[in-house]
Amino acid sequence: SINLHSALEYDPSYKLIQLTPELLDIIRDPEHNDQLRFKSLDKDKSEVVLCSHNKTWVLKQRKHSNTVLLMKEFVPAQPISFDETQLFGLSKPYMDILGFAKTESEFETRETEGQLDLNAVPIYNGELDFYKRATKGPSARVFATLEELLENSPCSALEGISKWHKIGGSVKDGVLCILSQDFLFKALHVVLMSAMAESLDLQHLQVADTYQAVRKDTEDEFNPYTREIIRTVLNKFAVQEQSSEESTWRLRIPFIAQWYGIQALRKYASGTNMPIDEFLIKWKSLFPPFFPCDIDIDMLRGFHYKPTDKTIRYVSKSTLPMDPKERFKVLFRLQSQWDLEDIMPLIEELNTRGMKIDSFIMKYARRKRLGKKVVVTSR
Amino acid sequence: PSVKIDATQWQKLTQSQNKQTTVITPLGVTMLEIQGDLELPKDFASLAKKDSKHDGRFSEQDGQTIIRFGSLQIDGERATLFVGKKQRLLGQVTKLDLPMGIMHFNSRDNKVELVDVMKYKIIFKDRPLPIM
Amino acid sequence: QEAKIWVKYKEGFSNAVRKNVTWNSLW
């Protein structure tokens, strides 16, 4: 038998943290040391998260009503002796353990999407007095580096970097910022024009060469396109190749084409219905001359509707109702019959319960097969 | 605020150990669960003075007085727990759905250290029986 | 005088609602 002992008081600094198979693997491996960190935005209001280099878990505390004792084997300073008739048939003691902690709760770890905390990251729209405005006032809080932002965000490093690239994060005058959509699009256009003018390899772009190309084409005085801005454009609109020693980027041509398409929709098909043929020409006209890409109206799914068979009109998801029933209602008012693929990007974000998309749609609309296509109409 | 989890000590200590075969970890840690409250006296010092060789309840360990509150016997998956002089509890060794890391949050040094990983616990869910 | 040691049994087991964890609560 084992002798069980207890101290008078238990040490509350011991906690039980749930280890998913992934967490267990990381914690076991000396190669991955220093990878797991607890992080929080502040000490008393925000949630605590646990981050590896590429994943984030949120902590949840669950109290329970049982007594849980954490006990450790020890060698008694003096041999423990007592009248063994007390054992009532249990075998003689061969070991002693001491309760060193009593845990009344467990901390569960739930995988979550890491987020960047952008409260201290201003938007840069190419304005000349950006630094002054960003650092104005005693409580103006800014970051100088991406590392600082990642340290102060409830996310892992890789998640944070990926999101940073996606939102067009950059640095201007030593201040971390996000490029406005307008400025980002202008910068993209300038980069494409300059890169093509200098015959740079669009599959292997480098920051230095691209920067030089842009400088050539732009007057110094009004050139806001620093190396950092160029890098931001590449990170958003190109894929960084891992293989090369020097970092190179490969342009994401379809993604860029889509961006130009959205701009074209906003510019030419916003308050008015435009014939699709005419729209395609307008779209193509926005690209730098000879820009090597094909366009197709299907690339703009999620950003337009077809009021009639041959016309197109811009729609912004952010202006649509968040309630699924209402959203479907509005969409059917705009267009009475939708191809499944066309309506899908406009409603899938509302499927928060993770239902099969078909089942979700059938809750609010009617689904019909028309030859090879599937169409959706109101109930 | 942020702090990394330091598992280096635990990795070193468990490297050379054999794989865990019982409910006690290679580092000698056990998780004991009881469906109820474990009632112990609030004052060890004065009771320790009155402790007899027969009872042998109290001892000194690392400068603190500790109380021997029971005996545990494990037989494969079954466990028996004697508490105090009168109670006998029957329980099981169960595998945890998810392993639990015991972490020590050292507020003096602002450090977090992994103490051990628990894969099993001994749980006593049933009403205590008399010892006889 | 003996040391009173016993288990005060609880009929059931209850798990509380999961709560958010703040930094201060861990330390």
Side-chain angles (χ1 to χ4, degrees):
Chain A
S1 65
I2 300 168
N3 289 331
L4 305 182
H5 305 258
S6 174
L8 180 59
E9 280 172 4
Y10 300 109
D11 188 342
S13 63
Y14 292 94
K15 319 255 180 223
L16 287 178
I17 315 277
Q18 216 179 46
L19 297 175
T20 63
E22 228 163 331
L23 285 172
L24 188 58
D25 278 340
I26 299 172
I27 224 163
R28 268 193 185 133
D29 191 353
E31 295 271 309
H32 291 139
N33 275 335
D34 291 356
Q35 212 201 101
L36 285 179
R37 324 191 107 235
F38 288 111
K39 286 170 98 176
S40 187
L41 289 183
D42 54 63
K43 290 196 169 176
D44 54 359
K45 289 196 217 65
S46 305
E47 281 189 315
V48 175
V49 294
L50 179 57
C51 295
S52 66
H53 79 288
N54 68 344
K55 279 214 165 124
T56 305
W57 291 263
V58 69
L59 281 188
K60 294 284 179 194
Q61 182 176 19
R62 237 190 161 185
K63 280 204 170 126
H64 60 73
S65 55
N66 282 359
T67 294
V68 171
L69 281 182
L70 302 179
M71 311 189 75
K72 185 147 195 317
E73 184 183 354
F74 73 102
V75 177
Q78 303 281 14
I80 305 287
S81 70
F82 56 92
D83 184 355
E84 283 176 12
T85 56
Q86 279 182 35
L87 289 173
F88 290 99
L90 276 191
S91 53
K92 277 169 123 106
Y94 74 97
M95 188 174 160
D96 292 86
I97 60 179
L98 171 63
F100 62 92
K102 185 159 83 146
T103 54
E104 291 169 340
S105 63
E106 289 180 356
F107 290 84
E108 295 179 359
T109 48
R110 196 190 308 163
E111 214 179 302
T112 188
E113 195 185 328
Q115 301 291 344
L116 285 173
D117 179 17
L118 300 172
N119 280 319
V121 183
I123 300 201
Y124 172 58
N125 193 32
E127 60 270 43
L128 291 168
D129 61 345
F130 169 74
Y131 181 79
K132 213 159 141 207
R133 286 197 304 120
T135 52
K136 189 170 63 174
S139 60
R141 189 178 164 233
V142 290
F143 295 115
T145 63
L146 180 57
E147 284 71 33
E148 269 179 65
L149 173 63
L150 294 176
E151 263 297 307
N152 287 284
S153 292
C155 68
S156 63
L158 287 190
E159 279 173 298
I161 291 169
S162 170
K163 280 185 190 274
W164 185 244
H165 291 169
K166 220 170 161 187
I167 62 173
S170 198
V171 181
K172 178 71 186 172
D173 296 335
V175 172
L176 224 62
C177 59
I178 298 169
L179 305 186
S180 69
Q181 298 287 79
D182 273 350
F183 184 76
L184 189 52
F185 188 66
K186 274 194 204 121
L188 169 66
H189 194 70
V190 165
V191 163
L192 294 179
M193 297 274 271
S194 310
M196 287 173 64
E198 295 300 306
S199 303
L200 298 182
D201 181 359
L202 301 183
Q203 304 291 313
H204 298 97
L205 289 172
Q206 293 184 325
V207 173
D209 293 346
T210 312
Y211 172 69
Q212 291 304 334
V214 168
R215 260 187 73 172
K216 252 189 177 182
D217 277 359
T218 333
E219 280 189 48
D220 267 344
E221 238 184 281
F222 304 112
N223 181 9
Y225 306 113
T226 59
R227 278 191 175 81
E228 278 310 317
I229 304 286
I230 306 287
R231 185 184 297 272
T232 299
V233 170
L234 292 178
N235 279 328
K236 169 112 187 159
F237 296 104
V239 176
Q240 189 169 2
E241 298 285 28
Q242 304 300 336
S243 51
S244 48
E245 234 183 62
E246 284 275 336
S247 300
T248 68
W249 278 260
R250 174 175 41 91
L251 283 186
R252 296 165 64 193
I253 307 274
F255 182 60
I256 291 171
Q258 190 193 47
W259 255 64
Y260 274 90
I262 296 166
Q263 290 304 112
L265 281 172
R266 288 200 185 120
K267 200 168 173 186
Y268 302 112
S270 242
T272 158
N273 301 351
M274 183 172 241
I276 294 179
D277 287 341
E278 213 181 303
F279 173 75
L280 289 174
I281 296 170
K282 295 277 194 208
W283 180 2
K284 197 73 193 215
S285 75
L286 288 185
F287 289 113
F290 311 112
F291 184 67
C293 83
D294 296 320
I295 57 172
D296 188 315
I297 205 70
D298 289 344
M299 289 164 107
L300 301 181
R301 282 187 175 136
F303 299 94
H304 75 275
Y305 65 97
K306 299 187 180 81
T308 71
D309 213 26
K310 302 251 190 302
T311 58
I312 193 174
R313 191 142 163 184
Y314 175 59
V315 69
S316 166
K317 239 190 299 197
S318 60
T319 62
L320 296 174
M322 286 307 285
D323 170 61
K325 198 162 166 216
E326 287 306 310
R327 184 173 289 199
F328 274 92
K329 212 165 145 189
V330 167
L331 290 176
F332 288 126
R333 229 188 296 136
L334 296 175
Q335 182 178 323
S336 55
Q337 183 174 285
W338 289 76
D339 285 354
L340 181 63
E341 297 87 9
D342 288 340
I343 203 173
M344 193 111 90
L346 287 168
I347 49 102
E348 58 193 357
E349 62 174 335
L350 299 183
N351 181 19
T352 51
R353 295 236 178 95
M355 289 174 78
K356 275 199 152 163
I357 196 68
D358 276 342
S359 318
F360 177 73
I361 290 175
M362 297 229 281
K363 280 177 83 169
Y364 307 99
R366 213 179 283 170
R367 203 173 150 275
K368 247 188 333 196
R369 200 167 264 286
L370 276 188
K372 282 196 175 157
K373 291 193 304 182
V374 176
V375 295
V376 175
T377 52
S378 66
R379 279 191 158 277
Chain B
S2 80
V3 66
K4 63 175 158 81
I5 299 175
D6 185 3
T8 49
Q9 262 299 93
W10 180 79
Q11 287 162 1
K12 277 198 195 116
L13 291 171
T14 48
Q15 218 177 60
S16 50
Q17 302 285 349
N18 298 323
K19 273 224 169 264
Q20 182 173 350
T21 48
T22 71
V23 69
I24 305 174
T25 72
L27 300 186
V29 180
T30 308
M31 186 172 163
L32 182 74
E33 185 167 344
I34 302 170
Q35 188 172 302
D37 296 322
L38 176 63
E39 301 289 347
L40 300 175
K42 305 277 184 288
D43 171 24
F44 284 12
S46 58
L47 286 170
K49 286 195 196 124
K50 303 186 186 127
D51 195 22
S52 64
K53 266 214 161 95
H54 171 90
D55 285 334
R57 286 279 166 204
F58 293 91
S59 61
E60 286 294 309
Q61 192 68 24
D62 295 325
Q64 61 171 352
T65 308
I66 61 177
I67 189 171
R68 182 180 60 84
F69 68 85
S71 298
L72 174 69
Q73 182 153 298
I74 304 167
D75 250 307
E77 278 185 13
R78 292 196 309 210
T80 309
L81 174 65
F82 281 22
V83 174
K85 286 192 159 177
K86 301 199 176 143
Q87 291 178 316
R88 174 170 57 106
L89 290 86
L90 302 178
Q92 308 76 30
V93 173
T94 55
K95 189 161 190 214
L96 300 180
D97 292 333
L98 277 179
M100 286 284 172
I102 301 176
M103 298 202 195
H104 183 221
F105 286 78
N106 182 340
S107 31
R108 195 191 57 198
D109 301 331
N110 276 324
K111 288 198 171 142
V112 176
E113 194 182 355
L114 177 71
V115 172
D116 211 345
V117 175
M118 310 309 295
K119 298 206 169 141
Y120 298 90
K121 68 180 177 186
I122 314 169
I123 179 161
F124 296 90
K125 290 187 277 211
D126 295 336
R127 183 172 280 284
L129 303 165
I131 258 184
M132 287 301 270
Chain C
Q1 192 182 14
E2 259 174 24
K4 277 188 96 184
I5 301 165
W6 85 103
V7 165
K8 195 166 157 196
Y9 183 66
K10 287 187 183 170
E11 277 304 333
F13 167 72
S14 69
N15 242 337
V17 168
R18 288 173 182 93
K19 271 174 49 177
N20 288 344
V21 179
T22 62
W23 187 263
N24 278 342
S25 70
L26 286 176
W27 299 89

